[in-house]
Amino acid sequence: MRKLRVAAAQVGGIQPDETRTEVVGRLLDLMERAAGAGCRLVVFPELTLTTFFPRYFLEDISSADTYFETALPGPETRPLFDASRRLGIGFHLGYAELVREGDRNRRFNTAILVDGGEIIGKYRKVHLPGHADHLPEAPFQHLEKRYFEVGDLGFPVWKAFGGVFGMCICNDRRWPETYRVLGLQGVEMIVLGYNTPEVNIHHREPAHLRMFHHRLSLQAGAYQNATWVVAAAKCGVEDGSRLIAGSAIVSPNGEIVAESAGEGDELIVADCDLDVGTDLKRHVFDFARHRRTEHYGLITERTAPVLPD
Ligand code: CDT
């Protein structure tokens, strides 16, 4: 038994006029509660530090740079790192990353894994949803393809917290490739954050299916790769737009063992035995014995379907 007590820290809506210091204050409160509950790790959402700004169209993308971090820790975010060290709790945090490379600015939708106040892992979102150009007819925008580059770090794993950890971000959770690439590195816990608008402007799905697809993705990914999945929402109403809640901790059997109840700041906690997936990995999902890579070539050769003649 390798027990790890983990929290998903759901964060309610962040309004455009909320300062970083105010947001960090809310996160510190959640982190302190998680540490008080004996958690070794707390998972915060995607783009935790600001409102979900890809809903706004700005002609010049550099006008959105106020939503980005050029350094972590920075002056306003340092208290999170100090608290991690002081309280002996690690954290996962999603944020908008601005990197200066030569004379070029690069922007990513990024998440970090922190332990002992130090960054031990970084992931940049690969599956960017939405669009790059203004859609004047849409009720709001989803401009991740405008503001961010596709992540360039792949899907690494890290030995941390007594197990093997991977990260992904929001839309990544809907793609089986995300989990399988992590599964092929022996992942035991995948941590992720999300901002999922209750309305998908490209594809109208009833509200109940929005939550069903969210859970289905987490549960299938967890089971088929025999891994824990810890997912934290930024949710509730932000500047008039609603984001779904449903933060969840899912076991390697695909069962939801903890789930949020409301749409505000909320902590959910579970005792996760990192050995729960070991038996599944030895039998049903013994990749070495059962995978048939000679039949999987299309997965990397082809991006979109090609229909038969
Ligand atoms: N943030 C993010 O990735 N959200 C997407 C919804 C996109 S709707 C155009 C998600 O998969 O939840």
Side-chain angles (χ1 to χ4, degrees):
M1 176 124 154
R2 280 177 296 145
K3 200 183 92 172
L4 182 68
R5 187 168 292 178
V6 172
Q10 177 171 286
V11 177
I14 293 177
Q15 306 315 319
D17 60 356
E18 229 169 308
T19 66
R20 292 282 198 292
T21 304
E22 286 167 334
V23 174
V24 166
R26 285 167 63 181
L27 304 185
L28 282 172
D29 180 52
L30 288 159
M31 192 189 282
E32 278 162 15
R33 280 162 50 198
C39 295
R40 181 70 183 82
L41 173 66
V42 57
V43 177
F44 292 115
E46 173 193 34
L47 300 176
T48 314
L49 298 169
T50 66
T51 201
F52 188 70
F53 64 90
R55 80 169 68 88
Y56 307 122
F57 173 76
L58 296 169
E59 188 73 48
D60 173 6
I61 65 167
S62 65
S63 313
D65 284 352
T66 52
Y67 295 110
F68 285 74
E69 311 304 310
T70 50
L72 268 191
E76 297 113 323
T77 48
R78 187 171 296 283
L80 291 169
F81 292 76
D82 294 343
S84 160
R85 201 173 297 115
R86 185 178 72 251
L87 301 170
I89 185 169
F91 68 90
H92 161 98
L93 178 80
Y95 67 103
E97 180 189 18
L98 175 60
V99 203
R100 186 86 183 154
E101 271 181 23
D103 57 0
R104 163 167 104 107
N105 282 331
R106 305 189 68 193
R107 298 170 180 83
F108 297 98
N109 186 339
T110 298
I112 48 171
L113 196 57
V114 174
D115 195 21
E118 304 293 329
I119 296 177
I120 58 168
K122 179 185 276 194
Y123 167 73
R124 289 172 172 159
K125 186 173 183 178
V126 167
H127 299 98
L128 296 175
H131 51 105
D133 297 318
H134 190 211
L135 296 181
E137 306 306 319
F140 54 87
Q141 309 294 299
H142 198 111
L143 289 158
E144 289 194 57
K145 286 189 193 295
R146 181 178 190 84
Y147 292 118
F148 303 119
E149 287 181 48
V150 170
D152 58 354
L153 303 175
F155 291 99
V157 297
W158 295 269
K159 279 193 165 168
F161 309 106
V164 181
F165 273 73
M167 293 187 264
C168 69
I169 301 178
C170 195
N171 187 256
D172 287 322
R173 76 193 188 286
R174 303 188 193 274
W175 297 88
E177 294 86 348
T178 299
Y179 301 91
R180 186 46 51 94
V181 171
L182 292 169
L184 285 167
Q185 300 169 86
V187 76
E188 293 176 317
M189 184 172 279
I190 299 173
V191 290
L192 69 104
Y194 58 98
N195 284 255
T196 297
E198 71 166 356
V199 173
N200 181 335
I201 56 170
H202 302 293
H203 163 62
R204 297 301 162 103
E205 57 185 350
H208 75 280
L209 285 184
R210 204 86 176 112
M211 188 55 80
F212 173 72
H213 291 152
H214 157 67
R215 292 194 185 109
L216 180 69
S217 302
L218 301 180
Q219 293 181 258
Y223 170 62
Q224 292 171 346
N225 296 279
T227 178
W228 288 90
V229 175
V230 180
K234 182 141 72 59
C235 59
V237 178
E238 281 197 339
D239 199 15
S241 295
R242 175 171 254 115
L243 301 159
I244 68 166
S247 301
I249 302 178
V250 184
S251 85
N253 288 308
E255 290 175 305
I256 295 176
V257 299
E259 190 167 30
S260 61
E263 285 194 347
D265 291 8
E266 182 178 338
L267 206 64
I268 58 169
V269 174
D271 280 324
C272 305
D273 176 2
L274 295 175
D275 279 329
V276 163
T278 308
D279 216 40
L280 269 176
K281 283 180 169 118
R282 277 201 204 110
H283 300 289
V284 185
F285 296 120
D286 180 349
F287 290 174
R289 273 196 299 148
H290 304 308
R291 289 186 81 242
R292 290 288 165 253
T293 53
E294 67 275 25
H295 295 297
Y296 304 157
L298 284 185
I299 289 181
T300 52
E301 281 161 26
R302 206 178 265 183
T303 306
V306 176
L307 300 181
D309 293 332

